Each structure stands twice: as structure tokens, then as C-alpha cells.
Amino acid sequence: MPDEPDTSFAPLYTRVMLKISGEALMGDQGYGLHPPTVERIAREVKSVHDLGVEICMVIGGGNIFRGLQGSAQGMERTTADYMGMLATVMNALAMQSALEGIGVFTRVISAITMNEVAEPYIRRRAVRHLEKKRVCIFAAGTGNPFFTTDTAATLRANEMNCEAIFKGTKVDGVYDKDPKKHADAKRYETVTYDEVLSQHLGVMDASAIALARENDLPIIVFSLDEPGGFRGILAGRGTYTRVS
């Protein structure tokens, strides 16, 4: 018999937004989706879902197409951004498949209407899905060009009354400089929204940080590569930075 998950503690949050980049899904590849990595992240999500935590997700599209890069190469910005939104739908469907393959019911909810593959975004319906313990994966950003998936995650987190945004990254928090390049990089235990903006700490883009600050929504920055890290923070342990 496999070990039963430890549910002997009350999680610190009961409804959260998990924001991850598209690049997190490509593993060691330079492009696209790496199915074992997608499945590993899905298991991390399930471990938190098993605690009874209601989970929203927003996944970037940078592993497939990034609007800013397309714009920089001469493509009209609005068109490039819409292409990036479609990339996030592909990632959302991949995550949905991985989650449902391990028994977690999900809904992909798109800001761009595409009824054959995803539900349209209707706030009350999305809240009801969460109450029924379905993982809601919000795709296509805000549905508008010039806004990043960071901003989309913060917007949806506020609309869904999430208690925190969990930003999964390659490092275990916010540092004053790149810890992979500088051995003396200092990790912050806590940092304010204003410090993130004034020191250009790169947690999220300025619009997302400002929206979180306006609504007193904390951002938890942690390593998605640390096994059990997401669940550990809900249990009150682990290494992370809190932006508030």
C-alpha cells in the first residue's frame, strides 16, 4: 500500500492562484512541452489539492511563443500577443490532461472564446467550479494584447478571491541579484510591493505588482523544482519569499 498523504495539518490558505511560466513546462528542452515535467508539476498540484485547497492556475506561453519576442522581430504587437495567448491555451490543455490523468477534475477557462476546447470566462461559473474542488486553469491571459500572464494571474486571483498568488520559479525566492550567476546573492524572506518595483526585482511585471498591492494580495515566490515545495509552504515550512 502506498503511503497516504499527510493531511494532519490545516493549510495556511484555502484558495490560491498558482502562476507558472510556459518555460517551466519544457524541462531541459529548449522549446515546447516535456511531458514528464508537465506530469511532475501536475503531481505537485494534486498534493495540494488533496489537502482540500481550491486551486486556480495561470500558465504562460513562452515555451511556444512569446508576444514581445515576435513584436521585437517585426511582427505587429497585437497579432504577436494574440498568438502568445493561443500558446497559453495549448499549455493549459496539456496541464488539464496531466491532472485528469491522476484523478484531479479540472476546467480550462479561456478569455478568448473557443467553445470546442475550453469554457468562456464567466466569473460566477468559475467560482462554482472552485467550490466543487475543480482546478480552474485560466488560459489566454486577460484576452487583451499588451497584458502579460502575470497581470492575468493577478486579475483572476482577485476576481476569484484567492488568498495568495504562488509564483513558481527556478529559484527558491526573490534575490537581490541572479543567484545562479552571483554566489553572494541575498535572498529576501519578505519584501514589499514598493521595493519590488523600485529595485526592479523582477518578481512580476509592474502592472501585476500594482494590482496585487492595491488589493493587499500577497505573492509567494518559491521553487517549482523543489519536490513537495508547493505543499510544504501550505504546511508552514519550506523556503520562499513573501511579497506583501
Side-chain angles (χ1 to χ4, degrees):
M1 290 286 291
D3 291 338
E4 289 295 320
D6 175 20
T7 56
S8 60
F9 60 89
L12 296 179
Y13 303 101
T14 58
R15 181 180 292 177
V16 300
M17 166 64 72
L18 175 62
K19 167 61 172 69
I20 61 178
S21 67
E23 287 88 346
L25 303 186
M26 66 187 186
D28 294 330
Q29 303 174 158
Y31 181 82
L33 288 158
H34 183 238
T37 299
V38 178
E39 290 163 11
R40 177 182 63 78
I41 295 171
R43 288 193 297 272
E44 294 286 327
V45 173
K46 182 180 187 300
S47 73
V48 171
H49 184 265
D50 286 345
L51 299 174
V53 177
E54 297 170 359
I55 303 172
C56 307
M57 293 183 71
V58 167
I59 307 171
N63 57 319
I64 299 170
F65 188 86
R66 186 180 293 279
L68 274 174
Q69 284 182 339
S71 178
Q73 294 172 10
M75 187 177 293
E76 195 269 324
R77 173 66 189 271
T78 302
T79 299
D81 279 355
Y82 277 119
M83 291 174 68
M85 291 178 214
L86 296 178
T88 72
V89 177
M90 295 172 68
N91 285 338
L93 292 173
M95 183 57 64
Q96 178 181 49
S97 176
L99 284 167
E100 296 203 336
I102 54 176
V104 179
F105 292 109
T106 71
R107 290 291 186 273
V108 172
I109 301 172
S110 173
I112 297 174
T113 304
M114 45 182 74
N115 293 331
E116 288 76 12
V117 297
E119 289 187 7
Y121 176 68
I122 299 171
R123 179 186 170 277
R124 287 178 179 269
R125 182 185 293 176
V127 169
R128 187 67 180 131
H129 287 320
L130 290 173
E131 291 170 349
K132 291 182 177 181
K133 305 304 180 185
R134 297 165 182 158
V135 173
C136 288
I137 309 173
F138 295 105
T142 66
N144 301 286
F146 300 98
F147 290 93
T148 67
T149 51
D150 281 344
T151 301
T154 311
L155 174 65
R156 296 292 184 240
N158 280 304
E159 290 178 307
M160 295 297 106
N161 293 317
C162 291
E163 296 162 353
I165 299 174
F166 280 69
K167 176 74 183 286
T169 69
K170 293 286 186 183
V171 293
D172 58 357
V174 180
Y175 287 78
D176 59 351
K177 48 192 169 186
D178 190 342
K180 295 187 176 181
K181 296 179 181 176
H182 304 276
D184 62 341
K186 171 193 168 188
R187 184 178 63 81
Y188 297 97
E189 292 285 341
T190 60
V191 64
T192 68
Y193 305 113
D194 290 337
E195 286 170 338
V196 168
L197 292 172
S198 64
Q199 298 177 36
H200 305 286
L201 293 177
V203 176
M204 287 181 161
D205 66 76
S207 297
I209 295 295
L211 186 57
R213 178 181 60 187
E214 186 177 321
N215 293 278
D216 295 320
L217 182 66
I219 303 166
I220 309 297
V221 183
F222 73 107
S223 173
L224 200 61
D225 293 336
E226 179 67 29
F230 186 21
R231 181 189 175 90
I233 296 169
L234 270 295
R237 57 179 184 268
T239 304
Y240 59 91
T241 298
R242 178 186 172 95
V243 182
S244 60

